[in-house]
Amino acid sequence: MSRIEDLETFVAIIEAGSLTGAARKLGRSLQAVSRSLGALEHDVGIELIHRTTRQCRTNEAGQAFYQRVKPALTDIIEARLEISDRRLEPRGLLKIGAPTLFGPDFLVPIIAEFMRSYPQIEVDLQLTDTFVDLAAEGFDLVVRIAQLPDSGLQGKRLGALRRVVFGAPSYLKERGIPKHPGELRDHCCVVRTVDRHPGQWTFRAGGRPRKFSVSGSFRCNSMEGIYSAVRCGLGLGYSPLWQIKHMIDNGDVLTVLEDYEPEPVPIHVLWQENKYPPAKVRAFVDLLAERLSLEGL
């Protein structure tokens, strides 16, 4: 029997309180457990456990040995599991959470490539703007666009995303282009009514973040409605750049006040804290970091 197995047996005996309990825990015969303990004691040259036919009692040397061996053995076992897991091809169900508007255009093409590469993978993509509890909802990983509080999650930063002010060419021609956030008080601004602070837009002015109050005659509770209103010339909008990139590319809107944009918002992929995440999570995170293109956003 290998030396690691002897150490595993010793730790199991200590934690189970008997040779019989250790044999049950390890799925080995009582004789094999007894031989393993005897081999370990012979190797270290001292009795570690006083044992009778009914019970085991750890002596001082055995307890000291256990305290030193247990952490090292845990690391060895985890390393062995990691190497074994790395040999496995990602498989099974991968449940992913992502923002409602971000997921379809930015994640689904990467998910499609991932599934083509690993035919034994199934994906459940849940699109929501709510910060879900990974453990409670059974998610393997989530993509979040926000400043993140400290948590028990592991994560990888994927980049950062700009927030911009934009308007239709017709509106800007009629009302002029604002040169400073303070000039927005003289403009019609399309406000989202469900924001935490409606009518408060953040900029970076004077070297620090500042909020400026804006207002207008048209308000809406959804970004889709705001985009349509801005495109129709009802006023200026304020939005993540990635959400309106297609409108810019089509010439429907133009961005303004670029010199006063606030700090970009970071985007992360997060998963449950785990020293060695499953192969399916590790492989998808690696592909996502490689394929997700946020240049110019």
Side-chain angles (χ1 to χ4, degrees):
M1 192 172 289
S2 74
R3 181 67 177 275
I4 291 178
E5 288 175 322
D6 293 341
L7 293 172
E8 287 176 329
T9 299
F10 169 70
V11 168
I13 293 170
I14 297 294
E15 294 177 348
S18 69
L19 272 68
T20 302
R24 189 180 304 113
K25 178 180 179 180
L26 297 172
R28 301 175 189 165
S29 69
L30 181 61
Q31 293 79 8
V33 167
S34 180
R35 286 196 302 269
S36 185
L37 176 59
L40 179 61
E41 289 178 330
H42 180 270
D43 185 67
V44 299
I46 190 172
E47 184 181 64
L48 300 171
I49 296 176
H50 297 306
R51 47 202 180 274
T52 66
T53 55
R54 291 177 176 260
Q55 65 179 11
C56 296
R57 182 166 56 86
T58 312
N59 59 26
E60 183 178 354
Q63 190 61 39
F65 191 67
Y66 171 81
Q67 295 295 334
R68 295 295 299 273
V69 164
K70 173 66 175 177
L73 183 61
T74 298
D75 284 343
I76 292 171
I77 293 172
E78 287 184 345
R80 188 167 59 188
L81 289 173
E82 179 192 15
I83 295 302
S84 175
D85 187 54
R86 285 184 183 277
R87 293 200 308 267
L88 298 177
E89 182 176 277
R91 65 185 65 211
L93 177 64
L94 183 67
K95 188 173 182 180
I96 303 170
T100 303
L101 296 178
F102 189 84
D105 290 338
F106 291 88
L107 291 188
V108 170
I110 298 172
I111 290 172
E113 179 182 350
F114 186 67
M115 296 181 72
R116 284 193 293 268
S117 298
Y118 301 106
Q120 297 188 69
I121 281 286
E122 297 180 14
V123 173
D124 180 355
L125 176 63
Q126 297 291 313
L127 299 177
T128 175
D129 295 321
T130 302
F131 278 18
V132 298
D133 184 318
L134 269 74
E137 301 294 333
F139 283 92
D140 293 295
L141 55 87
V142 295
V143 174
R144 287 182 179 165
I145 304 171
Q147 297 287 351
L148 298 178
D150 292 336
S151 70
L153 301 176
Q154 288 182 286
K156 184 179 184 67
R157 182 181 169 113
L158 301 171
L161 299 166
R162 294 165 56 194
R163 289 169 289 172
V164 298
V165 177
F166 61 103
S170 60
Y171 174 89
L172 296 172
K173 182 178 180 180
E174 178 184 350
R175 299 294 298 270
I177 298 174
K179 304 299 184 183
H180 185 276
E183 297 178 16
L184 292 175
R185 62 178 172 267
D186 300 321
H187 281 265
C188 292
C189 294
V190 183
V191 172
R192 190 170 77 150
T193 55
V194 294
D195 285 344
R196 181 177 296 179
H197 303 290
Q200 295 285 311
W201 291 358
T202 302
F203 295 90
R204 191 162 187 83
R208 62 184 178 85
R210 286 184 57 191
K211 291 186 180 297
F212 290 82
S213 296
V214 301
S215 63
S217 56
F218 181 88
R219 297 173 291 279
C220 188
N221 68 332
S222 78
M223 293 307 296
E224 290 87 347
I226 289 173
Y227 299 149
S228 182
V230 173
R231 197 164 45 233
C232 290
L234 292 181
L236 299 175
Y238 182 79
S239 165
L241 175 59
W242 62 267
Q243 293 186 17
I244 61 167
K245 184 66 164 55
H246 64 289
M247 296 167 59
I248 296 173
D249 292 342
N250 292 336
D252 297 328
V253 298
L254 302 172
T255 59
V256 298
L257 297 173
E258 290 93 341
D259 293 340
Y260 297 94
E261 290 178 14
E263 287 294 323
V265 180
I267 175 172
H268 293 82
V269 57
L270 306 173
W271 60 92
Q272 297 259 26
E273 187 170 21
N274 189 328
K275 195 169 185 179
Y276 304 112
K280 61 182 180 180
V281 171
R282 191 168 54 246
F284 183 76
V285 169
D286 289 345
L287 182 65
L288 182 60
E290 179 182 350
R291 292 287 191 264
L292 185 63
S293 176
L294 302 176
E295 185 176 354
L297 298 179

